[in-house]
Amino acid sequence: MEHELPAGMAEFIGTGFGPRGRRWLDELPALVEATCRRFDVRITGPVLPGGTHSYVVPVRRRGRELVLKVPMLDDENVAECAALRCYDGADAVRLYDVDLDSGALLLERADPGTALLTEYERGALALDEVVDVVTGLLRRLRRVPTGDLSHPAPPGGVPDGPPATPFPLVRDLALRWSTKLPGAYRELTAPPTAAELPRALFEEATELCVALAEPDGPDVLVNRDAHTGNVLSGRGGSAWLLIDPKPVVGDAAFDAGHLLWDLLRYEPTPARAARLVDRIAAGLGVDRARVRGWALIRAVENLTWAVPAGEGAPYLAGATALAAS
């Protein structure tokens, strides 16, 4: 293959996806070459950094600068193409082509492509400005899914054919987490991990999962991975564009969960948590309590994988701050 994978990607896929992941890695060079021929594109630069699930490179087709994305398909990204069709280039990168067998995508290249997160970290934008940009974008992207919702088959296939909508439901995720969290707490706090975790955090998150499973309004297309690293400057710097959607359908406040923790981690205090809850709720036009609830759920659910990986400290700090906010 012409270019190497981003740092850590091969290990992540080989370990996290087992034999299927290692087979995908072995077949990736041939898949990229075949996809370039199918899309009639030529790779023009090195692989773009930061990916964990996808091989992403700049390409050119008939003078147009684009991006080729070849994903390792999983339950979260399998419907990315369907979401991008729903967005139709409004506040998100445009989808130009898709291979429904492999899930490969030909996408608009965000230009200049600076992440909103980068602008915040270098001090070009204040916290409130960042929140206003991303909540405004997410609010405009909310919609009832319509149109062409075709998508690759989920890993393992679907026995009875594709569903009417390819998007997972927020209520199903919430109810799944409500049954997962109590057992996860028992496992994490028992040997050999024996982590010191407040039981009250897991109990509150479990209760919130059940309470928030029912949306406060109509089901709409939302995003389980909405954060400032996935919002890039594009179209000559005249727009902020969403990339890498992980679409789900349900409660409009669900967008807030990942976004809030993403910004809380810089200063995980109850005061900052309360400020972010208020600002994000106002920006999304949703109930404050639901914003706090989804953020707490997401932080606690992340502990279930982060603690065994030795990465639990920031999620615990964020969950603790939210609980006290």
Side-chain angles (χ1 to χ4, degrees):
M1 186 163 50
E2 184 177 353
H3 304 294
E4 295 183 357
L5 297 176
M9 181 174 161
E11 180 180 0
F12 178 87
I13 289 179
T15 301
F17 291 91
R20 184 170 75 92
R22 292 188 288 274
R23 185 168 58 251
W24 183 85
L25 290 168
D26 290 341
E27 296 172 354
L28 183 58
L31 176 58
V32 170
E33 291 181 10
T35 304
C36 285
R37 290 194 298 270
R38 183 191 186 285
F39 289 162
D40 188 25
V41 299
R42 179 173 61 85
I43 295 175
T44 58
V47 64
L48 299 177
T52 59
H53 286 62
S54 301
Y55 175 82
V56 184
V57 286
V59 296
R60 181 178 294 120
R61 181 167 74 173
R62 296 188 290 277
R64 184 188 293 272
E65 304 298 326
L66 302 169
V67 167
L68 172 65
K69 180 176 183 178
V70 183
M72 174 71 198
L73 289 174
D74 63 15
D75 292 337
E76 291 188 21
N77 65 21
V78 71
E80 179 176 349
C81 63
L84 290 173
R85 286 197 211 92
C86 288
Y87 299 147
D88 195 26
D91 297 293
V93 292
R94 294 186 179 93
L95 175 68
Y96 286 99
D97 211 338
V98 60
D99 180 355
L100 293 180
D101 292 325
S102 68
L105 307 171
L106 187 62
L107 302 167
E108 174 184 1
R109 187 186 306 187
D111 174 33
T114 305
L116 186 60
L117 174 64
T118 301
E119 295 294 88
Y120 174 63
E121 289 183 330
R122 73 181 185 89
L125 292 174
L127 178 63
D128 287 349
E129 292 176 303
V130 170
V131 171
D132 291 349
V133 167
V134 72
T135 55
L137 183 150
L138 291 171
R139 191 170 183 172
R140 292 190 299 273
L141 286 173
R142 289 198 310 242
R143 64 203 63 203
V144 176
T146 58
D148 179 5
L149 301 181
S150 59
H151 60 288
V158 181
D160 298 321
T165 173
F167 308 117
L169 298 178
V170 169
R171 64 174 62 89
D172 291 343
L173 285 176
L175 294 177
R176 190 185 316 150
W177 290 334
S178 74
T179 61
K180 169 187 173 182
L181 291 180
Y185 176 79
R186 290 191 295 270
E187 291 180 8
L188 292 172
T189 54
T193 305
E196 294 185 7
L197 297 170
R199 180 187 295 272
L201 286 179
F202 280 75
E203 290 176 343
E204 182 177 4
T206 299
E207 293 171 359
L208 285 167
C209 284
V210 176
L212 299 183
E214 289 304 315
D216 184 23
D219 282 347
V220 290
L221 189 60
V222 288
N223 192 338
R224 69 186 295 171
D225 196 34
H227 61 80
T228 55
N230 279 344
V231 178
L232 305 185
S233 57
R235 299 170 190 168
S238 65
W240 289 103
L241 303 174
L242 180 76
I243 64 167
D244 197 29
K246 300 291 187 294
V248 289
V249 166
D251 185 12
F254 183 79
D255 275 335
H258 193 78
L259 170 62
L260 198 152
W261 179 83
D262 178 52
L263 295 170
L264 179 60
R265 62 194 168 98
Y266 292 92
E267 185 186 323
T269 65
R272 184 178 174 96
R275 175 185 174 188
L276 283 167
V277 167
D278 289 340
R279 191 83 181 192
I280 290 172
L284 292 176
V286 296
D287 180 69
R288 182 190 190 281
R290 298 183 80 88
V291 168
R292 177 192 173 276
W294 282 122
L296 181 60
I297 290 169
R298 298 299 302 275
V300 172
E301 197 276 329
N302 280 331
L303 286 169
T304 64
W305 62 262
V307 170
E311 301 172 6
Y315 296 99
L316 180 57
T320 302
L322 281 160
S325 65

